[in-house]
């Protein structure tokens, strides 16, 4: 069997991307999607993108200095995450992968909580019910099933289809292009379609499943797969934060209205490595990376703001804010307390069991037998 090594551009081109902001910063019109915010709102989105990137690059540097065990960069994918995050309402719920730092930012999660996870001092650090976002999922694609189950629960709880902006709810399930080859994701599609679940599947197609390029996984656009399961699929320019917000907003509202699931394929690019243990130079052409850098989500939004006449002090003030954020992350990371391993017995079930209490007591006794403890 011959495996193609070049992208099937003839097939992929059949599905045009929804784009509202071109790489040169100019606004574009689309017949089905609009973004009607003002310049101040665009500035807010740029601030999100800029500070999320600072969190990402700071964490990457902390890992290289030995302060984190691992880090999964989102460099280049900020618009897909921030755009989707700003489309959510408070009552919506997110099921993330391990790379959703931009979505965590939009849900109000302190980035230090992310550092604790990758430093190994805690298992997640935030209350999912409080922020409307589950803890990071490491198992590829598993969160898609969790998302559909939660969405089905919303239906059973009568939280869908009332034309009530404060009551109707939806679920956002995040995964990458590689996860679409997993059985869990396809099973989630089946259940979502069968039960008309109020869920939006957000696939951040960053072109690589670790080292496996997209063309080794599919010969058709990923969004097209939704048709086989009986619900809509939309391809959006994942480096265009305005388009992502517009498309995901429409999909979430469709779900809240009781109209069922949608698959959104946000076409973006993972500029950095898969994780800090990966070396992308072994499987990617540097020219390809440079090609995508010209389509950088921050660069195009800054071009747009400059063309709109935004004062230069906005950018210099943001630089200062990013520097302060960087200092905060460095100091907070090194100050994270070491975990008490005995606490893990308290987190297995919502309510403790006699067996767990016995195991915890045995561990504490074992630890106490060593001078100074463990």
């Amino acid at each position: 069997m011959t495996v193609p090594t070049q992208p099937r551009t003839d097939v992929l081109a059949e599905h045009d991307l929804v784009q509202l902001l071109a790489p040169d910063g100019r606004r574009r019109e689309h017949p089905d999607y609009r973004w009607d915010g003002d310049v101040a709102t665009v500035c807010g989105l740029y601030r999100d993108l800029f500070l999320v990137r600072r969190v990402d690059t700071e964490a990457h540097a902390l890992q290289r200095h030995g302060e984190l065990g691992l880090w999964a960069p989102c460099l280049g994918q900020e618009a897909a995450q921030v755009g989707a995050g700003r489309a959510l309402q408070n009552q919506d719920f997110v099921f993330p992968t391990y790379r959703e730092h931009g979505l965590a930012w939009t849900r109000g999660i302190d980035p230090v909580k992310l550092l604790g996870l990758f430093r190994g001092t805690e298992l997640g650090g935030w209350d999912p019910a409080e922020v409307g976002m589950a803890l990071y999922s490491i198992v590829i694609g598993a969160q898609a099933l969790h998302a559909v189950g939660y969405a089905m629960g919303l239906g059973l709880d009568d939280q869908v289809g009332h034309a009530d902006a404060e009551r109707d709810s939806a679920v956002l399930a995040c995964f990458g292009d590689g996860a679409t080859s997993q059985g869990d994701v396809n099973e989630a599609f089946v259940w979502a379609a069968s039960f008309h679940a109020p869920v939006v599947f957000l696939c951040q197609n960053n072109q690589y499943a670790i080292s496996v390029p997209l063309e080794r996984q599919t010969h058709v656009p990923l969004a097209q797969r939704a048709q086989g399961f009986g619900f809509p699929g939309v391809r959006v320019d994942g480096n265009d934060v305005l388009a992502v917000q517009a498309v995901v907003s429409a999909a979430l509202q469709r779900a809240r209205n009781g109209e069922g699931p949608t698959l959104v394929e946000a076409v973006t690019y993972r500029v950095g490595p898969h994780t800090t243990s990966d070396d992308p130079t072994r499987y990617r052409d540097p020219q390809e990376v440079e090609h995508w850098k010209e389509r950088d989500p921050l660069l195009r939004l800054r071009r747009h703001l400059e063309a709109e006449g935004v004062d230069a002090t906005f950018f210099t003030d943001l630089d200062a804010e990013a520097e302060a954020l960087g200092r905060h992350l460095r100091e907070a990371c090194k100050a994270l307390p070491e975990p008490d391993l005995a606490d893990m017995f308290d987190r297995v079930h919502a309510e403790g069991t006699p067996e767990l209490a016995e195991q915890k007591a045995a561990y504490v006794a074992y630890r106490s037998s060593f001078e100074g403890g463990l």
Side-chain angles (χ1 to χ4, degrees):
M1 180 179 69
T2 301
V3 178
T5 58
Q6 297 297 322
R8 292 286 301 279
T9 54
D10 55 328
V11 176
L12 299 182
E14 290 178 3
H15 282 233
D16 293 335
L17 298 177
V18 176
Q19 186 183 83
L20 302 179
L21 188 67
D24 62 7
R26 289 183 296 175
R27 289 291 301 271
R28 301 185 64 180
E29 298 294 326
H30 192 276
D32 300 319
Y33 297 96
R34 292 178 56 84
W35 191 92
D36 295 321
D38 57 16
V39 173
T41 306
V42 180
C43 286
L45 290 171
Y46 183 81
R47 176 181 177 273
D48 286 334
L49 297 178
F50 195 82
L51 295 181
V52 167
R53 179 161 296 185
R54 183 53 182 258
V55 171
D56 189 47
T57 55
E58 199 69 48
H60 197 155
L62 284 166
Q63 193 282 330
R64 290 301 191 230
H65 281 83
E67 300 295 342
L68 302 181
L70 187 75
W71 182 252
C74 67
L75 182 63
Q77 298 180 223
E78 298 91 349
Q81 296 184 12
V82 168
R86 293 306 181 198
L88 294 161
Q89 294 180 359
N90 289 336
Q91 69 270 26
D92 296 331
F93 203 90
V94 182
F95 285 86
T97 70
Y98 45 79
R99 199 188 304 276
E100 257 62 77
H101 317 319
L103 269 158
W105 174 270
T106 65
R107 297 310 266 176
I109 296 172
D110 186 342
V112 176
K113 300 290 187 182
L114 307 180
L115 302 184
L117 175 64
F118 287 96
R119 189 176 172 89
T121 60
E122 54 191 356
L123 299 176
W126 62 87
D127 182 349
E130 180 182 333
V131 300
M133 178 166 161
L135 300 179
Y136 277 9
S137 176
I138 305 301
V139 180
I140 305 298
Q143 70 279 5
L145 289 171
H146 305 157
V148 173
Y150 188 99
M152 290 169 61
L154 290 177
L156 294 172
D157 288 343
D158 200 25
Q159 298 299 307
V160 178
H162 298 282
D164 186 336
E166 296 183 359
R167 178 181 180 181
D168 293 340
S169 307
V171 177
L172 184 69
C174 306
F175 47 83
D177 50 286
T180 63
S181 298
Q182 294 283 350
D184 283 3
V185 171
N186 289 272
E187 290 163 10
F189 289 171
V190 171
W191 280 79
S194 297
F195 289 88
H196 220 53
V199 58
V200 174
F201 298 105
L202 175 64
C203 174
Q204 292 174 62
N205 175 6
N206 66 15
Q207 312 302 315
Y208 284 91
I210 309 182
S211 60
V212 179
L214 180 67
E215 60 266 20
R216 291 286 178 90
Q217 300 181 69
T218 180
H219 290 173
V220 299
L222 294 174
Q224 188 173 316
R225 292 186 176 186
Q227 298 177 21
F229 295 91
F231 55 87
V234 184
R235 294 185 91 218
V236 61
D237 185 342
N239 287 4
D240 175 357
V241 67
L242 306 186
V244 173
Q245 185 176 15
V247 168
V248 175
S249 291
L252 286 169
Q253 191 56 49
R254 181 176 178 275
R256 297 186 201 105
N257 292 343
E259 299 174 48
T262 304
L263 171 60
V264 176
E265 178 191 357
V267 180
T268 181
Y269 192 76
R270 192 195 77 216
V271 176
H274 174 70
T275 69
T276 47
S277 64
D278 172 41
D279 179 8
T281 63
R282 300 184 63 181
Y283 56 83
R284 293 199 308 203
D285 187 335
Q287 293 183 351
E288 176 185 288
V289 180
E290 292 304 314
H291 168 81
W292 279 95
K293 282 184 177 179
E294 181 58 27
R295 287 153 178 76
D296 180 88
L298 276 77
L299 178 61
R300 76 169 67 184
L301 202 58
R302 177 158 184 160
R303 286 169 172 166
H304 174 69
L305 289 174
E306 290 174 340
E308 290 290 319
V310 171
D311 194 273
T313 57
F314 167 75
F315 300 103
T316 55
D317 289 347
L318 194 52
D319 286 337
E321 186 178 1
E323 286 299 315
L325 176 60
R327 287 192 299 272
H328 166 64
L329 293 174
R330 292 191 296 272
E331 294 168 1
C333 179
K334 296 175 183 179
L336 287 170
E338 290 298 315
D340 182 353
L341 296 184
D343 288 346
M344 65 181 177
F345 297 95
D346 301 328
R347 301 176 183 273
V348 179
H349 300 296
E351 298 180 3
T353 65
E355 292 82 6
L356 283 171
E358 183 179 345
Q359 292 171 18
K360 180 177 180 178
Y363 168 72
V364 171
Y366 168 77
R367 181 175 67 184
S368 300
S369 68
F370 293 86
E371 184 178 356
L374 289 177

